[in-house]
Amino acid sequence: MAIILGDHQYGKAESRLVRIYRDSPRHEIRDLNVSTALRGPFEAAYLTGDQSKVLPTDTQKNTAYAFAKSKGIESIEEFGLDLARHFVADIDPVEGARIEIEEYAWERAIVDGAEHDHTWLRKGQEIRTAAVTVGASGEHVIGGLKDLVLLKSTGSEFAGFLSDEFTTLPETHDRVMATALDAKWRYSSTAVAWDEVYADVKKLMVKQFATLQSLALQQTLWHMGTAVLEAHPEIAELRLKAPNKHHFAYDLGRFGIDNNNEVFTAADRPYGLIEATITRDGAPDSGDAWRASAGLA
Amino acid sequence: MAIILGDHQYGKAESRLVRIYRDSPRHEIRDLNVSTALRGPFEAAYLTGDQSKVLPTDTQKNTAYAFAKSKGIESIEEFGLDLARHFVADIDPVEGARIEIEEYAWERAIVDGAEHDHTWLRKGQEIRTAAVTVGASGEHVIGGLKDLVLLKSTGSEFAGFLSDEFTTLPETHDRVMATALDAKWRYSSTAVAWDEVYADVKKLMVKQFATLQSLALQQTLWHMGTAVLEAHPEIAELRLKAPNKHHFAYDLGRFGIDNNNEVFTAADRPYGLIEATITRDGAPDSGDAWRASAGLA
Amino acid sequence: MAIILGDHQYGKAESRLVRIYRDSPRHEIRDLNVSTALRGPFEAAYLTGDQSKVLPTDTQKNTAYAFAKSKGIESIEEFGLDLARHFVADIDPVEGARIEIEEYAWERAIVDGAEHDHTWLRKGQEIRTAAVTVGASGEHVIGGLKDLVLLKSTGSEFAGFLSDEFTTLPETHDRVMATALDAKWRYSSTAVAWDEVYADVKKLMVKQFATLQSLALQQTLWHMGTAVLEAHPEIAELRLKAPNKHHFAYDLGRFGIDNNNEVFTAADRPYGLIEATITRDGAPDSGDAWRASAGLA
Amino acid sequence: MAIILGDHQYGKAESRLVRIYRDSPRHEIRDLNVSTALRGPFEAAYLTGDQSKVLPTDTQKNTAYAFAKSKGIESIEEFGLDLARHFVADIDPVEGARIEIEEYAWERAIVDGAEHDHTWLRKGQEIRTAAVTVGASGEHVIGGLKDLVLLKSTGSEFAGFLSDEFTTLPETHDRVMATALDAKWRYSSTAVAWDEVYADVKKLMVKQFATLQSLALQQTLWHMGTAVLEAHPEIAELRLKAPNKHHFAYDLGRFGIDNNNEVFTAADRPYGLIEATITRDGAPDSGDAWRASAGLA
């Protein structure tokens, strides 16, 4: 069998782009990490080293910075669509473009009790993400967040599980549950109030995490996902990836001290890892959209 | 449309497992990072919190450590197969298992000119990887490596590329080319001399990187991939992911100093990113095997 | 000259300790990373391997977890004092103890507009730090914070600097200034309202960063430090370490697009690094206190 | 008491500098991370924002790149001396300079059994370090290495230690001992064969780690340090910092499986941390030299 080139894409990863809006004394800031990738008939670059159809990754980077000014950054989803549509529509050989963006949040400095016009503190907490693909199969937008670290100090159980000869875990009806949520959700439309929906999705997931008496992290994820789908018809499905960041109650009984779930050691590794897709029954197969929005390797 | 649970899996990630062989004075060491994930009819854990079919991730971890002794670690591929087959064959509800392993290399300490029996230095360099899946579609093994950092100080060009209004990159016929290679290759068999093949795949890729007069990183990847497929019929295809770690010649002309590609600044971000699959023509579609061996979210 | 053992200390680093207060339905959380180190006549452990005076690091760790329950964690400074005093007073050979603590902040989840009783989001932003030393020279407390990432989009200049044959930097009267502040301040007392002072120090430094028209990051640091010393007589001096996180205006003029300090690329490395001590004239030499509170190597 | 500026310095941190020697077909590479800092009468920059004595950090960076060509990089110690002497001798207000350099090792690619002329693999393993200070107190060179990860699978004990009410650790006479060594050594001269001494210091420390029957990590460090001082009169003292990277034998007895120190779990945190200075009796106090070579904050 002959050897051939399969799927391939190339681009510029992790351009750190900060956009300041300074048309009034009250500035605004959007702080992004932008990765672009192009797909199309670039076989000659691989087989013979012929670059004549290859738009350099340096040019892709320049385009992102130029668009940050000329198009502006309303939301990372919209900015991703601007970039992807440009590459596909305006650069002749390009057939598909995938734009991945991370956004870092800032909050205004408080000075003498008031928000400052042009100074911010990095907010930390979660990173907002978007993966936009434009190509033959249409336009796909995956919204998301990662590293949203959540912890509840009660209201979580784990019991009644299967056991075999290697099972030593005791059952518990009151434990700390913590995770660093990585969530992605696929929009079925590109006419979305991106910032509002993002804020609401986060709020809904946090509420479910907080209020559900959890019998398993799996159950919590299911409730988080269904709450989002019920409230947002413009979202077709979610993919959730949640490490179970173990907090072990420290054995103080050895020292004659009670520990009623008050003192824990937080472990780094290993951690449980729960991954689930929550979707709508009868929806068209979404594999292509996810795959279009994902990396190749 | 009703909301339903789509694909899902759960497991224990990143169990750091060190196995010492000490049956003779000359000890041996294998140092692993093991992640296990199970698939099957675990819907009730999500929908109602019923754990009766759920083998705890803690048990999965115990199993890995127990097998490190009872089965031993011949190679990470074989150890992954041992674990995956056990979960599918011996734990009733489990239908599929995916095991991902990273291996860290050690080299023996040299003492008075000789290799020491029981002391090692962590070798650094690349991390060897394996992703093993056992399930309804059979047994799949993906070998790999990551973070193999390569640099050549000449023998690399980039010219003749497409340009548009945002293109400012000059052409070059002599540049530094560097990458941190992430390679995965799919075996078409499980009867493989895993360690020997791994060593040879690495050697072949390094040789192509070194000896090809490169017109683009794409071309280098193509030659690396084809060299592997030509030499190893037991490998069905490769997925390569290579950041172009930019080294920019520093502008010393401003100070009246020549810089004939001798002084460079190594940039962290952004970087080019080339991703390509190199496969065999007419081979059965491999998507399922890759997807089976990949995470969900 | 004979070879001798000089300064030495040993301890347990980075015990991740989470303390939940659950005496009422509204739980509280304190999330710490605790490192302890002991000093004293431990020469025999080095010279002959005799451990008879060595309290194992494992015991030090157990003590931290036990005290988290029995003493509680009012503030990390107080908790550090509790631990250090115990080791020096209660463990016979110990002559000095140094406790370093990092604290990670959490904020309550907002559910239906109200703060939730037992669910939090990791707050991100800065890490609060404390270094407590108890020994022959008395009790020393160093408060601090790190990774407080600040950015102002105007109100910063850099001009009038010295130049030589390697100087190419243009002057600027309007630039982005950003840093990830690492601040330590030495208390001259242990009778301090730790949490209140911490909050005020942070507020004062943020205010100076925001409101001063900065001619250099050096000047900004000076104003931050003096504001703190003027307001807090219980603080003897500060040590500030501030990377100048460069944001370069992207050259869009090449594409016929104006960039009036609106689009920046944020660089990872290199970065400027400004380090300064701001102290009180005529104060007793503080070197010992700082050194006592610092690591050895 | 008036508020005053105490110790201060400023510079450019982490310039990533790669130097290729290409005068013959067999190229050579030196790969550095360079940080420079200047000391002197820079008070006005803090107090009034006057930069007239301040050589910008950007100029410092340019100087490092220019010197990489004009002076070359024989060794990082020599390169650091070149830079430090220049700043102090040639830039009028500068009174002291501190240069910190990390060097990353590369090894030649092996192609068809022979070393390749211009292709390398990043070697991993330890990072070589140097801290050079030139100022009023003379010239000081601190050599070093960090992240040298060592492990021995036997030949390590820990027993006979002090115990209190919080002690639960069992004694052991056979354990895994592992560390990631951070070593710094102060030269008493600048006329040193830097590369040869570096290689020998590393070799001596590795040998002691391997061959000593260790009763404690403290004892191992002592033997490592004395071996270096005995062999190298040009080294005045060493500072060693060694985490005790715990490897816990996994409890397989619960599953009826023997574990005779064959299967371990490697913990991330917490870890023991041993810090010690090994010096020569009657040597002049070295504090100034160390402090001169250290950062301020």
Side-chain angles (χ1 to χ4, degrees):
Chain A
M1 287 182 287
I3 295 168
I4 58 167
L5 184 66
D7 287 343
H8 54 93
Q9 67 180 15
Y10 78 102
K12 186 69 103 190
E14 301 203 40
S15 293
R16 288 282 291 104
L17 187 166
V18 176
R19 176 66 162 98
I20 305 290
Y21 287 89
R22 44 191 297 153
D23 307 305
S24 79
R26 186 175 171 89
H27 292 187
E28 301 289 339
I29 184 171
R30 295 209 84 146
D31 183 359
L32 313 186
N33 192 19
V34 179
S35 298
T36 60
L38 304 183
R39 297 165 182 174
F42 306 122
E43 290 81 2
Y46 292 85
L47 275 57
T48 65
D50 175 358
Q51 307 302 313
S52 57
K53 291 186 174 171
V54 171
L55 192 73
T57 64
D58 187 76
T59 303
Q60 297 176 37
K61 176 187 68 171
N62 284 343
T63 307
Y65 285 99
F67 274 37
K69 178 64 196 294
S70 61
K71 304 273 184 177
I73 301 172
E74 283 293 304
S75 68
I76 56 174
E77 292 84 358
E78 202 63 40
F79 185 61
L81 283 166
D82 283 342
L83 281 168
R85 288 167 178 162
H86 160 72
F87 288 125
V88 173
D90 301 340
I91 308 300
D92 189 41
V94 175
E95 294 172 352
R98 178 176 66 96
I99 316 295
E100 287 194 346
I101 306 178
E102 297 182 338
E103 180 169 18
Y104 311 115
W106 294 84
E107 60 185 5
R108 288 187 186 276
I110 303 299
V111 175
D112 297 335
E115 292 184 347
H116 197 264
D117 272 351
H118 61 256
T119 305
W120 296 267
L121 287 67
R122 180 78 162 264
K123 201 167 183 301
Q125 226 179 69
E126 91 273 9
I127 295 170
R128 177 173 168 181
T129 65
V132 172
T133 316
V134 170
S137 72
E139 298 187 337
H140 308 288
V141 178
I142 311 284
L145 56 78
K146 64 180 190 183
D147 290 332
L148 177 65
V149 182
L150 299 164
L151 180 148
K152 62 192 300 185
S153 53
T154 190
S156 168
E157 314 182 27
F158 190 59
F161 41 76
L162 186 67
S163 78
D164 68 2
E165 76 267 34
F166 298 119
T167 301
T168 58
L169 187 75
E171 300 197 336
T172 176
H173 293 283
D174 191 4
R175 63 172 183 173
V176 163
M177 184 164 74
T179 194
L181 185 66
D182 183 334
K184 294 187 174 71
W185 49 91
R186 182 168 64 87
Y187 289 102
S188 47
S189 160
T190 57
V192 172
W194 305 108
D195 286 0
E196 288 77 2
V197 173
Y198 177 84
D200 196 57
V201 168
K202 178 182 168 189
K203 193 173 68 177
L204 287 167
M205 293 196 298
V206 168
K207 177 177 175 176
Q208 291 302 315
F209 182 89
T211 57
L212 180 72
Q213 174 72 17
S214 175
L215 301 177
L217 183 47
Q218 281 92 327
Q219 188 197 23
T220 295
L221 295 183
W222 168 254
H223 280 258
M224 292 166 77
T226 53
V228 171
L229 291 184
E230 283 167 2
H232 289 282
E234 71 278 24
I235 296 179
E237 63 179 350
L238 296 96
R239 292 195 177 182
L240 304 178
K241 193 170 181 171
N244 189 345
K245 296 169 71 81
H246 304 307
H247 286 65
F248 299 109
Y250 209 78
D251 178 6
L252 301 179
R254 299 174 292 175
F255 317 125
I257 300 174
D258 281 341
N259 182 9
N260 178 29
N261 274 351
E262 292 164 293
V263 178
F264 297 87
T265 182
D268 294 309
R269 291 188 296 185
Y271 48 91
L273 184 59
I274 316 295
E275 300 169 83
T277 303
I278 296 149
T279 188
R280 297 183 193 277
D281 195 16
D285 172 55
S286 62
D288 282 345
W290 283 106
R291 282 192 289 279
S293 296
L296 298 178
Chain B
M1 288 182 288
I3 296 168
I4 57 168
L5 183 66
D7 288 344
H8 53 93
Q9 67 180 13
Y10 78 101
K12 187 69 102 188
E14 302 205 39
S15 292
R16 290 279 292 105
L17 187 166
V18 176
R19 174 67 161 97
I20 305 289
Y21 287 89
R22 44 191 297 153
D23 308 305
S24 79
R26 186 175 171 89
H27 292 187
E28 302 288 341
I29 186 171
R30 296 209 83 148
D31 184 358
L32 312 186
N33 193 18
V34 180
S35 298
T36 61
L38 304 183
R39 298 164 182 175
F42 306 121
E43 290 79 3
Y46 292 85
L47 274 58
T48 65
D50 175 358
Q51 309 301 313
S52 58
K53 291 185 175 172
V54 171
L55 191 75
T57 65
D58 187 74
T59 303
Q60 297 177 38
K61 176 187 68 171
N62 284 342
T63 308
Y65 285 99
F67 274 37
K69 178 63 195 298
S70 61
K71 305 273 185 176
I73 302 173
E74 283 292 304
S75 67
I76 56 173
E77 293 84 357
E78 203 63 40
F79 185 61
L81 282 165
D82 284 342
L83 281 168
R85 288 167 179 162
H86 161 71
F87 289 125
V88 173
D90 301 339
I91 308 301
D92 188 44
V94 176
E95 295 171 351
R98 179 176 66 96
I99 316 296
E100 287 193 346
I101 306 178
E102 298 181 337
E103 180 171 17
Y104 311 115
W106 293 84
E107 60 185 4
R108 287 186 186 275
I110 303 298
V111 175
D112 297 335
E115 291 184 349
H116 197 267
D117 271 353
H118 61 256
T119 305
W120 296 266
L121 286 68
R122 179 78 164 263
K123 201 167 182 301
Q125 224 179 73
E126 92 272 8
I127 295 170
R128 178 173 167 182
T129 65
V132 172
T133 316
V134 171
S137 73
E139 297 187 337
H140 308 289
V141 178
I142 310 284
L145 57 78
K146 65 180 188 182
D147 289 333
L148 178 63
V149 181
L150 298 164
L151 180 149
K152 62 192 301 185
S153 54
T154 189
S156 168
E157 315 183 26
F158 190 59
F161 41 76
L162 187 68
S163 78
D164 69 1
E165 75 268 35
F166 297 119
T167 302
T168 58
L169 186 74
E171 299 196 337
T172 177
H173 293 283
D174 191 3
R175 62 171 183 173
V176 163
M177 184 163 75
T179 193
L181 185 67
D182 184 334
K184 293 188 176 71
W185 49 90
R186 182 167 64 85
Y187 288 101
S188 45
S189 162
T190 56
V192 172
W194 304 109
D195 286 1
E196 289 76 2
V197 173
Y198 177 84
D200 196 57
V201 167
K202 179 183 167 187
K203 192 172 71 176
L204 288 167
M205 293 196 297
V206 168
K207 176 176 176 177
Q208 292 301 316
F209 182 89
T211 57
L212 180 74
Q213 174 71 18
S214 175
L215 301 177
L217 183 48
Q218 282 91 329
Q219 189 198 21
T220 294
L221 295 183
W222 169 254
H223 280 258
M224 293 166 78
T226 53
V228 171
L229 291 185
E230 284 167 2
H232 289 282
E234 72 277 25
I235 296 180
E237 62 179 350
L238 296 96
R239 292 195 177 182
L240 303 178
K241 194 170 181 172
N244 189 346
K245 294 170 72 78
H246 303 306
H247 286 66
F248 299 111
Y250 208 79
D251 178 6
L252 301 179
R254 298 173 292 175
F255 318 124
I257 299 173
D258 281 341
N259 182 8
N260 177 32
N261 274 351
E262 292 164 293
V263 178
F264 296 86
T265 183
D268 294 310
R269 291 189 296 185
Y271 49 90
L273 184 59
I274 316 296
E275 299 168 84
T277 303
I278 296 149
T279 189
R280 297 182 193 276
D281 195 16
D285 173 54
S286 63
D288 281 344
W290 285 105
R291 282 192 289 279
S293 294
L296 298 178
Chain C
M1 287 182 288
I3 296 167
I4 57 167
L5 183 67
D7 288 343
H8 53 93
Q9 68 180 13
Y10 78 101
K12 187 68 102 189
E14 302 203 39
S15 293
R16 290 280 292 104
L17 187 166
V18 176
R19 175 67 160 99
I20 304 290
Y21 288 89
R22 44 192 295 152
D23 308 306
S24 80
R26 186 176 171 88
H27 292 188
E28 302 288 340
I29 184 170
R30 296 209 84 147
D31 183 359
L32 313 185
N33 192 20
V34 179
S35 298
T36 61
L38 304 183
R39 297 162 183 177
F42 305 123
E43 290 80 2
Y46 292 85
L47 276 56
T48 65
D50 175 357
Q51 309 301 314
S52 58
K53 292 186 175 172
V54 171
L55 192 72
T57 64
D58 186 76
T59 303
Q60 297 177 39
K61 176 187 67 171
N62 284 342
T63 308
Y65 285 98
F67 274 37
K69 177 64 196 294
S70 61
K71 305 274 184 177
I73 301 171
E74 283 294 303
S75 67
I76 56 174
E77 293 85 357
E78 205 62 40
F79 185 62
L81 283 165
D82 284 342
L83 281 169
R85 288 166 178 162
H86 160 72
F87 288 124
V88 173
D90 302 339
I91 308 298
D92 189 42
V94 175
E95 295 172 350
R98 179 176 65 95
I99 316 295
E100 287 193 347
I101 306 179
E102 298 181 336
E103 179 170 17
Y104 311 115
W106 294 85
E107 60 185 3
R108 287 186 186 276
I110 303 300
V111 175
D112 298 335
E115 292 184 348
H116 196 264
D117 271 352
H118 60 257
T119 306
W120 297 267
L121 287 67
R122 178 80 162 263
K123 200 166 183 301
Q125 225 179 74
E126 91 274 7
I127 295 170
R128 179 173 168 182
T129 65
V132 173
T133 316
V134 171
S137 72
E139 296 187 337
H140 308 288
V141 178
I142 311 284
L145 57 79
K146 65 179 188 182
D147 290 331
L148 178 63
V149 182
L150 298 165
L151 180 149
K152 62 192 300 186
S153 53
T154 190
S156 168
E157 313 182 29
F158 190 59
F161 42 76
L162 186 68
S163 77
D164 69 1
E165 75 268 35
F166 297 119
T167 302
T168 58
L169 187 75
E171 300 195 335
T172 176
H173 293 282
D174 190 4
R175 62 171 183 173
V176 163
M177 186 162 74
T179 194
L181 185 67
D182 183 333
K184 294 188 173 72
W185 50 92
R186 182 167 64 88
Y187 289 101
S188 46
S189 160
T190 56
V192 172
W194 305 109
D195 286 0
E196 290 74 3
V197 174
Y198 177 85
D200 197 55
V201 168
K202 178 182 167 187
K203 192 172 71 176
L204 287 167
M205 293 197 296
V206 168
K207 177 178 176 176
Q208 292 300 315
F209 182 89
T211 57
L212 179 73
Q213 174 71 17
S214 174
L215 301 177
L217 182 48
Q218 281 92 328
Q219 189 197 22
T220 294
L221 295 183
W222 169 254
H223 281 258
M224 292 165 78
T226 54
V228 171
L229 290 184
E230 284 167 2
H232 289 281
E234 72 278 24
I235 295 180
E237 62 181 351
L238 297 95
R239 293 196 176 182
L240 304 178
K241 191 170 182 172
N244 189 345
K245 295 169 71 79
H246 304 306
H247 286 66
F248 299 110
Y250 208 80
D251 178 6
L252 300 180
R254 298 174 292 175
F255 317 125
I257 300 173
D258 281 341
N259 182 7
N260 177 32
N261 274 352
E262 293 165 294
V263 178
F264 296 87
T265 184
D268 294 308
R269 292 189 296 186
Y271 49 92
L273 184 60
I274 317 296
E275 299 169 83
T277 304
I278 296 149
T279 187
R280 297 182 192 277
D281 196 15
D285 173 53
S286 62
D288 281 345
W290 284 106
R291 282 192 289 280
S293 297
L296 299 177
Chain D
M1 288 181 288
I3 296 167
I4 58 167
L5 184 67
D7 287 342
H8 53 93
Q9 67 180 14
Y10 78 101
K12 185 69 100 190
E14 302 205 39
S15 293
R16 290 281 291 105
L17 187 166
V18 176
R19 175 68 160 97
I20 304 291
Y21 288 89
R22 44 190 298 152
D23 307 306
S24 79
R26 186 175 169 87
H27 292 188
E28 301 289 341
I29 185 171
R30 295 209 83 148
D31 183 359
L32 313 185
N33 192 19
V34 179
S35 297
T36 62
L38 305 183
R39 297 163 182 176
F42 306 122
E43 289 81 2
Y46 292 85
L47 275 58
T48 66
D50 175 359
Q51 308 302 312
S52 58
K53 290 185 175 173
V54 171
L55 190 73
T57 65
D58 186 75
T59 303
Q60 298 176 38
K61 177 188 67 171
N62 284 342
T63 307
Y65 285 99
F67 274 36
K69 178 63 195 295
S70 61
K71 305 271 184 179
I73 301 171
E74 283 293 304
S75 67
I76 57 174
E77 293 84 358
E78 203 63 41
F79 186 61
L81 282 166
D82 284 342
L83 281 169
R85 288 166 179 163
H86 161 71
F87 288 125
V88 173
D90 301 339
I91 307 299
D92 190 43
V94 175
E95 295 171 352
R98 179 175 66 96
I99 317 295
E100 286 192 346
I101 306 179
E102 298 180 336
E103 179 170 17
Y104 311 115
W106 293 85
E107 59 184 7
R108 286 186 187 276
I110 302 300
V111 175
D112 296 337
E115 292 184 351
H116 197 265
D117 272 352
H118 60 256
T119 305
W120 295 267
L121 285 68
R122 180 78 162 265
K123 200 166 183 304
Q125 223 178 71
E126 90 273 10
I127 294 170
R128 179 173 167 180
T129 65
V132 172
T133 316
V134 172
S137 71
E139 297 186 338
H140 308 289
V141 179
I142 310 284
L145 57 78
K146 64 180 188 183
D147 290 332
L148 178 64
V149 182
L150 298 164
L151 180 148
K152 62 191 302 185
S153 52
T154 189
S156 169
E157 314 182 27
F158 191 58
F161 43 76
L162 186 68
S163 78
D164 69 1
E165 76 268 34
F166 298 120
T167 301
T168 58
L169 187 75
E171 300 197 337
T172 176
H173 292 283
D174 191 4
R175 62 171 182 174
V176 163
M177 185 164 74
T179 192
L181 185 67
D182 183 334
K184 293 186 175 72
W185 50 90
R186 184 168 62 87
Y187 289 101
S188 47
S189 160
T190 56
V192 172
W194 305 110
D195 286 0
E196 288 77 2
V197 174
Y198 176 84
D200 196 55
V201 168
K202 178 183 166 187
K203 192 172 69 176
L204 287 166
M205 293 196 297
V206 168
K207 177 177 175 176
Q208 292 301 315
F209 183 89
T211 59
L212 180 73
Q213 174 72 16
S214 176
L215 300 176
L217 183 47
Q218 282 90 328
Q219 188 197 22
T220 294
L221 294 183
W222 169 254
H223 280 259
M224 292 165 77
T226 54
V228 171
L229 290 184
E230 285 168 2
H232 290 281
E234 72 276 24
I235 296 180
E237 63 180 351
L238 297 95
R239 293 197 176 181
L240 303 179
K241 192 171 184 172
N244 189 347
K245 295 168 73 79
H246 304 306
H247 286 65
F248 299 110
Y250 208 80
D251 179 4
L252 301 180
R254 299 175 291 176
F255 317 124
I257 300 174
D258 281 341
N259 182 9
N260 177 32
N261 273 352
E262 293 164 293
V263 178
F264 297 87
T265 182
D268 293 311
R269 292 190 293 187
Y271 48 91
L273 185 58
I274 316 297
E275 300 169 83
T277 303
I278 297 150
T279 188
R280 296 180 193 278
D281 195 15
D285 172 56
S286 63
D288 282 346
W290 283 108
R291 282 192 289 280
S293 295
L296 299 177

